[in-house]
Amino acid sequence: MGIITMHFLFNLSLLMILFFIFFLLNKRVGSIHLHKRASLFYFVVSLILCSLFSYPIQSGYVLDLRIIPFLLGGLYLRFSPILGLLVIFFRAFHGIDIGFFIGVAFYTVFSLFIWYISPWFLKLTSNIRILFSTGITLLISIGTFTIALNKVSPDQLLDIFIAYSIVPPLGVAMISAFFEIREKNQQLQQQLVIEEKLAALEQMGAAISHEIRNPLTTAIGYIELLDQFSFDRNNSKKYLTIIKDELDSAEGIIQDYLTFSKPIIESIEELDIQKELTHILKLLLPLANYHSVKVSTDFSTSETIQGDKSKFHQCFVNIIRSSIESMPYGGALTIKTIATQNKIIISIQDTGIGLSKEQIKRIGEPHYSTKGPKGTGLSMMVAYSILRAMRGTIDVQSEIGKGTISQFHFKRQKTKVNRR
């Protein structure tokens, strides 16, 4: 293998490494068509590399791989006029000679041609685009070799022929194939996101229908009853109260879904964790007694976090209630607060039925419940949504038959609550 071929292969390796850095390792870049600035930057840097690793021959001619970034950038993103000017600019650093003027003439015409056919090229199938770009590169390489026949010594002809007939077409074929793979993956990701959103909407619709149907059915039944029969004032008032309660229940369900979709933190204040958890436990004590659940607490020195008090109550009422209901035949519930240098951790441990790894992953999803057909997952869905709105993080560890430990991490406030 000759020195020019080795030189070209090394340059191609650098172009491939650059491509991986820009488009395969950096997921934020995404589609080359959606992020044209990043793509243009890649092609410009590629041209600079090709210029730096060019190989000069006799009579002012320079051999390099500039055709690879020029052709791909022109065909895929219509950058050929910009890249053509850059090619001419970089070539000028090697001298204003006959090779420079040949390059000016060629890249002026060829830039316009590539710019013109680019829309047609993008309508081709993926495999045809790869074959077309590789074929054009091979033709240009053969043309370049033909021009160089009279400019090099006979012992270099075979080396230049191998270098130009193999390396540029191979480079274009490989990079264009990676372009196509990248674009297909991007389309699949977008399609997957759309399908997930549609699935979430379907689940949401099913959950809303399931939750609201019961109170509305009850309310409609009592309205029909009042319409068909005459009742005294006391009975009418009693039925109207039931109707109002059922409609309030339906309105509360809708509000919960609105909280899930976009939790509104109405007021930010310093919350004394110990005080608020103690208040929540008082509310849930009757439920714990009903399920024969023994509740114990272990609060560290009282610390504060920032948040909305009512949302905080709603969140942890739902979470602690769920823990209690996971112990239908009794058990122990332990609530701790742990203070670290930067965080406050609320730990809730139960001795309930436990959760599988799959169940842990799906907690908080729309219309997913660990209670089977009887549950809708609404309470945990709302709770997790509020936690995210308060910038809290969640860590759940569980074992089937042994219970669950849920830890909720919040940013610690430096102000301590003073108690008398």
Side-chain angles (χ1 to χ4, degrees):
M1 188 178 292
I3 187 172
I4 299 176
T5 304
M6 294 288 291
H7 198 80
F8 275 21
L9 286 173
F10 178 73
N11 193 178
L12 177 60
S13 300
L14 293 179
L15 295 181
M16 296 299 298
I17 292 171
L18 187 65
F19 177 85
F20 274 88
I21 293 173
F22 266 79
F23 297 111
L24 297 184
L25 297 182
N26 188 359
K27 295 182 180 180
R28 291 176 298 176
V29 172
S31 170
I32 61 173
H33 296 285
L34 295 177
H35 299 269
K36 288 195 173 183
R37 289 184 180 179
S39 302
L40 178 60
F41 185 63
Y42 163 74
F43 289 117
V44 171
V45 175
S46 297
L47 283 177
I48 293 173
L49 284 177
C50 293
S51 178
L52 291 175
F53 289 92
S54 59
Y55 190 89
I57 59 175
Q58 298 176 5
S59 304
Y61 284 89
V62 177
L63 304 180
D64 56 34
L65 295 180
R66 74 188 82 163
I67 190 62
I68 295 177
F70 169 80
L71 189 62
L72 293 174
L75 287 174
Y76 280 93
L77 292 164
R78 304 194 81 189
F79 287 155
S80 56
I82 299 173
L83 297 177
L85 288 173
L86 289 173
V87 167
I88 294 170
F89 174 75
F90 293 141
R91 177 59 182 82
F93 285 100
H94 296 282
I96 309 299
D97 46 35
I98 184 64
F100 170 78
F101 290 109
I102 291 175
V104 170
F106 173 78
Y107 281 100
T108 299
V109 175
F110 199 53
S111 295
L112 294 175
F113 172 73
I114 295 297
W115 182 83
Y116 179 77
I117 68 169
S118 177
W120 167 81
F121 171 82
L122 293 174
K123 294 179 181 178
L124 301 175
T125 62
S126 176
N127 291 334
I128 298 299
R129 283 197 293 263
I130 295 173
L131 290 174
F132 181 82
S133 57
T134 304
I136 287 185
T137 307
L138 182 60
L139 290 175
I140 295 172
S141 297
I142 294 173
T144 304
F145 171 74
T146 303
I147 295 174
L149 282 175
N150 299 323
K151 310 299 179 184
V152 297
S153 58
D155 60 331
Q156 290 181 307
L157 285 178
L158 181 60
D159 188 14
I160 293 177
F161 175 76
I162 295 174
Y164 264 101
S165 62
I166 295 178
V167 180
L170 176 65
V172 168
M174 292 174 65
I175 296 178
S176 61
F178 283 131
F179 274 159
E180 299 296 341
I181 292 172
R182 180 67 184 179
E183 292 302 293
K184 285 183 179 179
N185 288 340
Q186 191 69 19
Q187 291 173 3
L188 289 174
Q189 288 176 1
Q190 292 175 351
Q191 184 178 353
L192 182 61
V193 169
I194 292 173
E195 289 177 355
E196 287 178 347
K197 288 181 178 179
L198 290 174
L201 285 174
E202 291 176 0
Q203 291 177 344
M204 189 73 74
I208 292 174
S209 174
H210 177 84
E211 289 283 326
I212 293 181
R213 183 181 291 115
N214 291 335
L216 288 184
T217 301
T218 302
I220 291 171
Y222 278 103
I223 290 171
E224 291 177 347
L225 193 64
L226 289 172
D227 182 55
Q228 294 176 4
F229 301 97
S230 297
F231 297 97
D232 57 36
R233 182 180 178 86
N234 290 334
N235 282 330
S236 296
K237 187 176 180 180
K238 177 182 175 182
Y239 294 153
L240 288 172
T241 301
I242 294 173
I243 292 170
K244 181 180 181 300
D245 290 341
E246 294 298 318
L247 293 177
D248 286 342
S249 175
E251 194 275 336
I253 293 167
I254 294 172
Q255 188 60 46
D256 282 342
Y257 276 101
L258 292 175
T259 300
F260 163 73
S261 62
K262 190 175 181 181
I264 300 174
I265 304 302
E266 296 176 350
S267 61
I268 300 295
E269 57 185 302
E270 287 193 1
L271 302 179
D272 177 354
I273 294 295
Q274 180 177 340
K275 178 182 176 182
E276 303 308 330
L277 289 176
T278 301
H279 174 74
I280 291 169
L281 289 175
K282 286 181 180 179
L283 295 176
L284 293 173
L285 187 59
L287 180 66
N289 292 334
Y290 177 79
H291 286 275
S292 301
V293 173
K294 181 181 178 181
V295 179
S296 59
T297 59
D298 181 11
F299 297 133
S300 64
T301 56
S302 190
E303 301 286 347
T304 63
I305 62 171
Q306 284 193 334
D308 185 317
K309 182 183 291 188
S310 64
K311 297 297 182 186
F312 182 86
H313 286 183
Q314 182 183 9
C315 172
F316 280 95
V317 163
N318 289 349
I319 292 169
I320 296 173
R321 180 195 290 124
S322 179
S323 292
I324 293 172
E325 291 175 347
S326 73
M327 299 178 280
Y329 306 108
L333 178 69
T334 304
I335 300 176
K336 300 179 182 179
T337 59
I338 305 166
T340 66
Q341 185 175 1
N342 299 315
K343 292 181 179 179
I344 296 295
I345 302 172
I346 299 174
S347 175
I348 301 175
Q349 181 176 0
D350 64 59
T351 57
I353 57 177
L355 302 169
S356 66
K357 291 183 178 180
E358 181 63 26
Q359 287 174 321
I360 292 173
K361 290 180 181 179
R362 297 195 62 187
I363 294 176
E365 288 186 6
H367 203 48
Y368 177 75
S369 174
T370 58
K371 301 174 186 177
K374 296 181 179 180
T376 62
L378 177 61
S379 61
M380 294 304 293
M381 185 177 72
V382 171
Y384 274 42
S385 183
I386 293 172
L387 282 168
R388 287 190 291 267
M390 293 180 62
R391 298 182 181 179
T393 58
I394 308 156
D395 179 31
V396 179
Q397 297 178 357
S398 186
E399 188 174 347
I400 297 294
K402 293 188 177 181
T404 302
I405 301 175
S406 302
Q407 291 189 335
F408 307 92
H409 300 246
F410 296 93
K411 186 177 179 180
R412 180 179 183 180
Q413 292 299 111
K414 294 184 179 180
T415 306
K416 284 190 177 183
V417 177
N418 296 321
R419 293 192 181 278
R420 295 181 180 178

